[in-house]
Amino acid sequence: QVQLVESGGGLVQAGGSLRLSCAASGHTFSNYVMGWFRQAPGKEREFVAAISWSGGTTYYADSVQGRFTISRDNAKNTRYLQMNSLKPEDTAIYYCACDPSGTYYSWDYWGQGTQVTVSS
């Protein structure tokens, strides 16, 4: 089992920044990828960003490309999502997820989420 715990959410004004963290513990898998997803009120959960084990490959949703940066520190078992130029539409619960298969399709493990609220 893998346990994921997010932190760093909060209330910020539009144009501001936040950095989310995701600490992983428990069984670790070689080649696993990490991702961030979000769910706004009344909407389905959506993909935000993902990063490979090495950190050399990253993917972003079009809506956050150029504003958000995903990174990881494998020595600390921690992943990050740096969010800049935040907009009110970024308001959501943000979830960290882990894909042990390395395919970016099998998000088997999820954190409990952290709330991000962007005021206009």
Side-chain angles (χ1 to χ4, degrees):
Q1 282 285 23
V2 175
Q3 291 79 44
L4 303 174
V5 179
E6 303 96 333
S7 61
L11 174 64
V12 64
Q13 289 188 331
S17 299
L18 281 175
R19 188 176 82 155
L20 305 183
S21 298
C22 173
S25 61
H27 182 71
T28 56
F29 303 91
S30 61
N31 232 24
Y32 70 93
V33 301
M34 296 297 298
W36 288 94
F37 293 75
R38 67 186 182 186
Q39 187 167 19
K43 296 187 177 181
E44 293 187 354
R45 188 174 298 185
E46 65 175 2
F47 169 79
V48 175
I51 188 167
S52 63
W53 164 258
S54 68
T57 302
T58 56
Y59 298 96
Y60 296 95
D62 290 344
S63 58
V64 306
Q65 180 78 46
R67 299 188 298 122
F68 290 11
T69 302
I70 189 171
S71 62
R72 65 192 298 165
D73 184 337
N74 290 334
K76 295 182 179 180
N77 280 334
T78 303
R79 291 81 193 147
Y80 306 96
L81 185 67
Q82 178 67 43
M83 305 186 295
N84 298 329
S85 303
L86 283 162
K87 305 175 181 180
E89 51 264 43
D90 293 318
T91 295
I93 298 174
Y94 283 71
Y95 297 90
C96 174
C98 169
D99 170 9
S101 73
T103 64
Y104 299 91
Y105 289 103
S106 298
W107 301 102
D108 293 341
Y109 300 98
W110 294 83
Q112 83 289 348
T114 185
Q115 176 71 49
V116 171
T117 303
V118 184
S119 63
S120 58

